[in-house]
Amino acid sequence: MDFYGLIGFSLAAGVYALFALLIIAARNHSLVARAVLFCALVTLSSNLIAALQIKLGYSLQWAMLVDGFKIACWSLLIILFNTEHRSLKALVSNYYVRQYVGVWLVLMFGSWLASYWLGYAYEYIFLLFIILNLWMLVLLEQLFRNADLQVRWAIWPLVVALASVAIFDFVIYAQATMVDSIDFDFWFSRGYLAFLVTPLLLISIRRIKNGEVRIFVSRNVVFYSSMLMIAGAYLLLMSVAGYIINFIGGEWGNLVSIGFLMLSGIVLVALLITESLRRRVKVFIAKNFFANKYEYRDEWLNLIEKIETTSGASHYQMATQIMMSKVEASRGAIIKKFSNQHYQLQYSQGLEINEEVEEHLLSVGLFCHQQGWIVDVNEYEKSPLLYPDLTLNVALFRSNNIQIIVPIFIGKAFYGLFVLADEKELKRLNWEDRDLLFAISKQLGNFVSLYEATDKLSESKQFDAFNRMSAFLVHDLKNVQAQLALVTANAEKHRENPEFINDVFETVESATQRLVKVLSQLRKKQVEQSSHSQTDLAITIKKVVEQCNLSLPKVEFEQEGDCSTFIDNESFQSVMHHLIQNAKEATASDGLIKVTAVEKKRIVRIIIEDNGSGMSEEFIKNRLFKPFDTTKGNAGMGIGVFEAKQFIENMAGIIKVTSELKKGTMFTIDLPRRTSGAISGQDLL
């Protein structure tokens, strides 16, 4: 057999030398032509070294080392067919070329290093060549499956030639792995096989115009290549298992191993034709090796634009129309879950959701909630097993043209369903369509939820505004009641005093005007804007002091300079009355209360000080100006000081408070001096 092997490898070396000369004679300087020439020279060297190994008897590893280099060269040629590079420098920089070379170097170095450590054992080298030949088969399968008819016509001889060599070597090394040695009858036959496939290589090289072939790698090619790799790995694993059974099985080992391999083959075929496995592999490949069908940045911007420009009567209508547009449905609806037993239709466009449909959607909604799946009625009708634990009344949905049901989640909470329908059959959803619909559904769910929260907030603000208005009106009524109560309390003592009678008429007139204002605000359901005028603050304060002095403790008033400014006199009077009344309530009947109005350069400063009970620093900081917080129990509203602060700040003024427990309090109010309604920069100084 050695003689026949030497003849075979020598013939192969000679024919590849002739092949290389023909390529040189063709004077084709393209990158592919030069790559084929290099592969031919490497193959020539591989066969020559194999022939010399038989003659000289050196280690077979040298022939296998060159053989590994030969496989790498032909594999890189196949990768080159799928590039557009025209120079060696560009080819070297190609990602896939560098990836192959990197993995090849790691495998070659690792295998020979493992062989050296194990005393030049061949197990890992055999396994290496199984992987390299299987890899070449995958590359060839990709090359041929994705080529168009014209390119296939040109490359099929090359594919057949290289595939034949790769399959033959795969079988040799797989068998060698199991029995831990090479069958040299097969090994010596490699030279004759290399000799026989050379004409096929020559035919392909002549058919490839300009030395260029451009192949587009599609998802289907990667899918079939992946299935081929899975099958190869599975068969290799089963072969190893069969060898183990044969090794430990004794006399029955051969029979049992053959039966096991037959059973493994049946299982492999069953797996490869199983739809669920094929679907999972396709989804995995599409997700991890190819760009998405949808550009999510564009989809996101498009969604935002539609939300901004869609002229829907409500946010429910807008969300439904956007979801319908994604699947080109002419009908749709959005239903909201209120309980496990009740869904409520929020909006429908051309789709009637009757009680029967709503009841059936309860179970669909439960399934969508638990699984987080989108239900495609058309897919369910053809493959119901794809939706475990779901029972659909397809006839009912068909009668209503319902085809797609998309769950709506807000965070992890289940909100409801988008129901999409059309008279014509909508396109079948793949995993990318489902991902897009689910993402849009979440965004639209957040959009709808935000609008619902905004509506509730708007209602809450309306109630808050009404309550706020009511509180201020009650406060005004309380002040009127306090004025009238003060008159009543002093009537018995001062009814004969003419000055008291005049004050009574002024108080009643003021109370009447306040009541008229309150009634007007109640009718209009809003607080009226007060009128501003040039006012002498000292006169207003003096009038308030006189009203408050009808009871103890007495209030002193002092004026320094002109205290005129442009202000709402009625509101200012109410504020001063409240602050002075608070001071009286905090001070003993024999205590001191003093009000001072002082003219400054740009402001009028009003100081209200007493020697009453005082307030703590914590109370001033956290509670004094907080609305509806009072220390008077049911006797107070807790908005007097808050109203005073609001009024003063609206006038571009400042209110300050200093106080000490059991020593007294001082309110300091600074109001800008103005002759009109405009507030200048100097007014704020």
Side-chain angles (χ1 to χ4, degrees), residues 5-249:
L6 179 61
I7 296 298
F9 286 125
S10 299
L11 286 174
V15 76
Y16 275 99
L18 180 61
F19 183 31
L21 290 174
L22 291 174
I23 296 174
I24 294 172
R27 298 181 182 276
N28 191 332
H29 300 292
S30 67
L31 181 60
V32 171
R34 284 181 288 173
V36 172
L37 174 61
F38 186 76
C39 291
L41 293 174
V42 172
T43 307
L44 184 156
S45 302
S46 174
N47 285 278
L48 185 61
I49 290 175
L52 291 174
Q53 188 273 333
I54 297 174
K55 186 68 176 175
L56 302 178
Y58 51 77
S59 174
L60 190 64
Q61 286 199 21
W62 291 105
M64 297 173 73
L65 180 64
V66 180
D67 207 44
F69 189 69
K70 178 198 72 175
I71 295 174
C73 291
W74 285 109
S75 298
L76 289 173
L77 175 66
I78 298 170
I79 296 175
L80 175 61
F81 286 153
N82 192 42
T83 67
E84 297 176 344
H85 301 309
R86 299 294 178 267
S87 66
L88 181 61
K89 182 178 180 181
L91 179 64
V92 172
S93 64
N94 181 272
Y95 170 77
Y96 297 103
V97 172
R98 294 168 65 182
Q99 182 188 56
Y100 181 89
V101 172
V103 176
W104 179 83
L105 287 173
V106 171
L107 291 175
M108 291 285 289
F109 181 78
S111 298
W112 255 267
L113 188 62
S115 174
Y116 173 76
W117 281 344
L118 297 175
Y120 296 100
Y122 283 78
E123 291 88 345
Y124 291 99
I125 298 178
F126 295 157
L127 185 60
L128 165 70
F129 280 94
I130 291 175
I131 295 173
L132 292 180
N133 282 289
L134 180 60
W135 196 348
M136 177 179 278
L137 288 172
V138 170
L139 293 175
L140 287 170
E141 197 271 346
Q142 287 182 348
L143 177 69
F144 187 75
R145 185 175 293 276
N146 251 350
D148 57 30
L149 293 177
Q150 183 178 0
V151 175
R152 282 188 181 184
W153 175 82
I155 66 173
W156 77 260
L158 179 143
V159 172
V160 170
L162 296 181
S164 300
V165 174
I167 292 172
F168 190 83
D169 286 353
F170 180 88
V171 173
I172 290 177
Y173 289 113
Q175 184 186 37
T177 302
M178 290 187 287
V179 300
D180 198 23
S181 66
I182 289 180
D183 186 335
F184 280 93
D185 290 341
F186 281 98
W187 177 263
F188 293 148
S189 301
R190 295 174 72 245
Y192 293 99
L193 179 62
F195 172 78
L196 293 174
V197 301
T198 308
L200 296 175
L201 296 175
L202 183 60
I203 292 172
S204 274
I205 298 305
R206 289 181 60 84
R207 286 181 178 181
I208 298 174
K209 295 181 180 179
N210 301 322
E212 298 177 1
V213 175
R214 179 73 177 109
I215 308 297
F216 172 74
V217 181
S218 71
R219 301 185 185 198
N220 287 331
V221 166
V222 177
F223 165 70
Y224 288 112
S225 300
S226 301
M227 298 300 288
L228 180 61
M229 289 194 68
I230 292 172
Y234 176 83
L235 288 175
L236 179 61
L237 181 62
M238 292 302 101
S239 298
V240 173
Y243 169 73
I244 294 174
I245 293 173
N246 187 23
F247 181 76
I248 65 176

Side-chain angles (χ1 to χ4, degrees), residues 424-463:
K424 66 179 185 299
E425 183 172 336
L426 299 176
K427 64 177 181 179
R428 185 169 180 177
L429 304 179
N430 60 22
W431 70 268
E432 290 177 290
D433 298 322
R434 293 174 182 273
D435 281 356
L436 177 66
L437 290 179
F438 195 75
I440 291 176
S441 173
K442 287 184 70 70
Q443 295 302 321
L444 292 177
N446 292 329
F447 164 73
V448 169
S449 176
L450 179 62
Y451 264 90
E452 289 180 343
T454 301
D455 290 343
K456 291 180 180 179
L457 182 61
S458 177
E459 293 177 2
S460 177
K461 284 186 175 181
Q462 291 177 354
F463 280 108

Side-chain angles (χ1 to χ4, degrees), residues 486 489-490 493-494 545-555 581 584 589 593:
L486 191 61
N490 291 279
K493 182 178 180 181
H494 300 286
V545 168
E546 289 175 353
Q547 292 176 353
C548 291
N549 276 337
L550 294 177
S551 62
L552 296 177
K554 296 295 184 179
V555 181
Q581 188 63 34
K584 288 173 65 67
S589 58
I593 300 175

Side-chain angles (χ1 to χ4, degrees), residues 275 279 293-294 327 376-384 386-387 403-404 425-434 437:
E275 181 65 21
R279 285 165 58 89
K293 176 181 178 181
Y294 299 101
V327 297
D376 185 344
V377 177
N378 299 325
E379 183 181 58
Y380 178 89
E381 185 178 16
K382 296 176 182 177
S383 305
L386 296 176
Y387 297 85
Q403 299 187 43
I404 298 174
E425 183 172 336
L426 299 176
K427 64 177 181 179
R428 185 169 180 177
L429 304 179
N430 60 22
W431 70 268
E432 290 177 290
D433 298 322
R434 293 174 182 273
L437 290 179

